[in-house]
């Protein structure tokens, strides 16, 4: 309802089986700013539904109150996406798993946390990823209704380059847990990469509504908008990701877009922020700052980009992670004007399970490469993989 300059929205949740009202809330806002009011309504409604699901001991968490508290705290830490907090989540879940080894929720959450820690560490220990797989399959055997378990299996399959299996797992996760933001985000990411950006963006939009603090969700929206040529929308999404903190992910995001757009001011602002940061790892400062400073002055960056070649060739992560490092190499070689090196890096990425056809077709710094016959051959391979993922 609206009256003058004010608008009011009332939302009710009703059990369709018996008509019982489960929850209701009211919001008020400015009638001439409906989007702000909409955001408030969506955020509040989602939180209410999520809370109710989490409080349903028979369906959305351990039944034992103590185990349930440990589970909820671990999931909160897991959602932060910070390496230290994920390590804290693992410690909580290991202790809980020792006490409740047959609880599928604890088992599933521990597998998810180990998988995320492995990704954040850039790979390395095969033991960690093997344990994540074992725990997920064990949780699935105990209770096949937990969407989070399928989500972890999807992440593991995707990291190993099995895109089609990953898509099926994320779809299964959403079927069982429709409010699982991470599954929507991963499925949206894959849809965009495989050349279905319209449908993918709908998934990503839903993901960030379900989890407004999702760094990855906002970044994927920013990346896709940038690839589609919608710079203002890309910047708005990037700002929402950067608002979550000044971590390695946010710095990399800003650096890539500054290079895509050849934006010297954006590179200069990022360089200043990195120099002032007291939390970034030295590796970022030592290797990204020289590139940004050169871009800031409009100077060549040929020497500085060797870091990305070295990172790609020495990476110990999953096949998908190694392909990503090669993508970064391609981009920075292109910016440096090193076409032969960029084509070699692209060929290395295609030897790995690269499926990002949207990037190949729309990344602005790859324009010169698209004239080369070898690019067409690489594109055909990636296009075939992208089509197969959703076949």
């Amino acid at each position: 309802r609206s009256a003058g300059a004010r608008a009011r929205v009332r939302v009710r949740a009703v059990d369709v089986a018996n008509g019982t009202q489960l929850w209701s809330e009211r919001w008020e806002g400015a009638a001439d700013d409906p989007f702000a009011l909409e955001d408030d309504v969506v955020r509040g409604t989602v939180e209410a539904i999520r809370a109710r699901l989490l409080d349903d001991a028979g369906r959305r968490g351990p039944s034992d109150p103590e185990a349930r508290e440990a589970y909820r705290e671990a999931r909160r830490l897991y959602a932060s996406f910070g390496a230290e907090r994920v390590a804290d989540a693992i410690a909580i879940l290991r202790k809980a798993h020792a006490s409740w080894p047959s609880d599928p929720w604890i088992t599933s959450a521990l597998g998810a946390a180990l998988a995320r820690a492995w990704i954040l560490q850039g790979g390395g220990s095969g033991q960690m990823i093997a344990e994540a797989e074992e725990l997920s399959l064990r949780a699935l055997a105990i209770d096949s209704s937990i969407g989070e378990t399928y989500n972890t299996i999807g992440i593991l399959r995707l990291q190993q380059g099995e895109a089609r299996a990953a898509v099926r797992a994320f779809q299964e996760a959403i079927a069982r847990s429709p409010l699982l933001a991470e599954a929507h985000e991963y499925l949206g990411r894959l849809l965009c990469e495989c050349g279905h950006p319209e449908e993918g963006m709908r998934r990503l939009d839903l993901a960030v509504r379900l989890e407004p603090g999702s760094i990855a969700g906002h970044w994927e929206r920013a990346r896709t908008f940038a690839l589609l040529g919608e710079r203002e929308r890309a910047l708005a999404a990037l700002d929402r990701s950067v608002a979550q903190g000044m971590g390695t992910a946010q710095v990399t995001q800003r650096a890539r877009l500054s290079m895509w757009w050849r934006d010297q001011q954006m590179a200069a602002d990022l360089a200043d922020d990195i120099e002032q940061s007291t939390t970034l790892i030295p590796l970022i400062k030592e290797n990204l700052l020289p590139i940004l400073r050169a871009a800031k002055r409009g100077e060549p960056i040929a020497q500085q980009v060797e870091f990305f070649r070295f990172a790609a060739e020495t990476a110990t992560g999953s096949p998908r992670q190694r392909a990503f490092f090669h993508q970064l190499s391609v981009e920075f070689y292109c910016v440096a004007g090193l076409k032969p090196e960029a084509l070699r890096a692209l060929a290395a990425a295609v030897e790995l399970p690269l499926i990002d056809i949207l990037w190949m077709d729309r990344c602005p710094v790859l324009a010169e490469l698209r004239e080369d016959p070898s690019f067409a051959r690489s594109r055909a391979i990636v296009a075939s993989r992208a089509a197969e993922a959703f076949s």
Side-chain angles (χ1 to χ4, degrees):
R1 297 181 178 183
S2 62
R6 304 297 294 171
R8 175 182 296 170
V9 177
R10 181 182 296 276
V11 178
R12 294 187 303 146
V14 178
D15 187 330
V16 295
N18 54 32
T20 303
Q21 178 173 298
L22 304 174
W23 166 85
S24 70
E25 188 58 84
R26 184 180 70 182
W27 287 270
E28 292 190 8
D32 60 355
D33 191 7
F35 294 115
L37 183 57
E38 177 191 5
D39 286 344
D40 289 341
V41 171
V42 170
R43 186 162 42 248
T45 303
V46 167
E47 285 302 320
I49 295 172
R50 181 187 288 121
R52 180 170 180 81
L53 290 177
L54 285 172
D55 285 340
D56 184 348
R59 292 169 52 203
R60 304 302 308 164
S63 56
D64 184 284
E66 189 176 346
R68 189 176 186 75
E69 186 60 33
Y71 172 81
R72 294 181 68 170
E73 175 61 13
R75 290 295 300 185
R76 184 186 69 79
L77 292 167
Y78 170 89
S80 71
F81 220 90
E84 291 184 2
R85 292 197 170 191
V86 173
D88 291 340
I90 291 172
I92 292 171
L93 289 166
R94 284 202 184 282
K95 184 177 180 181
H97 190 253
S99 299
W100 298 279
S102 298
D103 186 281
W105 294 94
I106 296 291
T107 305
S108 174
L110 180 55
L114 287 167
R116 173 161 290 184
W118 183 77
I119 293 170
L120 290 174
Q121 292 172 14
S125 171
Q127 182 179 352
M128 181 181 288
I129 201 68
E131 185 181 3
E133 173 105 15
E134 180 188 353
L135 287 163
S136 298
L137 294 176
R138 191 186 308 166
L140 200 62
I142 299 170
D143 186 345
S144 62
S145 70
I146 301 174
E148 286 83 344
T149 308
Y150 289 93
N151 184 67
T152 302
I153 290 172
I155 293 170
L156 296 174
R157 297 293 175 267
L158 180 60
Q159 290 298 321
Q160 296 303 323
E162 302 171 28
R164 193 167 186 271
V167 167
R168 301 298 179 269
F170 293 132
Q171 290 171 335
E172 291 288 347
I174 291 168
R176 288 162 174 77
S177 300
L179 296 180
L180 187 55
E182 190 175 17
H184 287 289
E185 183 261 305
Y186 267 106
L187 187 57
R189 180 189 306 188
L190 283 170
L191 282 162
C192 291
E193 289 185 10
C194 291
H196 310 286
E198 185 174 342
E199 186 179 353
M201 287 301 288
R202 285 198 292 269
R203 287 284 181 185
L204 291 172
D205 288 344
L206 176 57
V208 298
R209 285 186 179 279
L210 290 169
E211 186 52 67
S214 169
I215 294 172
H218 291 305
W219 159 242
E220 289 301 328
R221 293 178 72 251
R223 191 193 89 109
T224 304
F225 279 136
L227 291 175
L228 296 176
E230 299 186 44
R231 178 165 177 161
E232 292 305 314
R233 298 178 78 179
L235 284 171
L238 179 63
D239 286 344
R240 294 188 68 180
S241 178
V242 172
Q244 308 303 319
M246 181 69 175
T248 301
Q250 290 94 330
V251 169
T252 304
Q253 294 160 11
R254 293 170 65 186
R256 289 183 79 186
L257 293 192
S258 72
M259 297 297 139
W260 289 9
W261 296 327
R262 313 286 179 137
D263 190 324
Q264 291 178 238
Q265 187 57 54
M266 190 174 180
D269 292 342
L270 177 55
D272 291 343
D273 289 346
I274 291 175
E275 288 175 335
Q276 295 169 14
S277 174
T278 58
T279 58
L280 282 174
I281 60 175
L283 191 66
I284 292 294
K285 290 192 174 185
E286 294 168 5
N287 294 285
L288 199 53
L289 262 179
I291 295 174
L292 293 168
R293 286 177 181 143
K296 172 182 174 180
R297 297 188 293 266
E299 298 174 353
I301 61 171
Q303 293 181 347
Q304 293 89 335
V305 298
E306 284 303 302
F307 162 69
F308 291 98
R309 178 195 61 78
F310 175 78
E313 293 179 356
T314 60
T316 59
S318 68
R320 180 175 170 87
Q321 286 176 312
R322 297 200 301 275
F324 171 70
F325 278 119
H326 283 298
Q327 283 181 270
L328 291 179
S329 297
V330 173
E331 293 175 16
F332 283 91
Y333 277 133
C334 286
V335 173
L338 302 173
K339 183 178 176 180
E341 290 83 350
L343 287 170
R344 283 197 293 271
L346 179 61
V350 174
E351 287 180 4
L352 293 160
L354 181 69
I355 59 170
D356 200 347
I357 194 66
L358 185 67
W359 174 79
M360 291 196 73
D361 287 347
R362 302 300 294 267
C363 183
V365 298
L366 272 57
E368 188 177 352
L369 300 189
R370 297 187 183 104
E371 302 170 1
D372 192 282
S374 66
F375 184 93
R377 291 192 293 271
S378 293
R379 187 196 180 281
I381 294 171
V382 174
S384 176
R385 291 174 186 161
E388 183 183 357
F390 285 91
S391 63

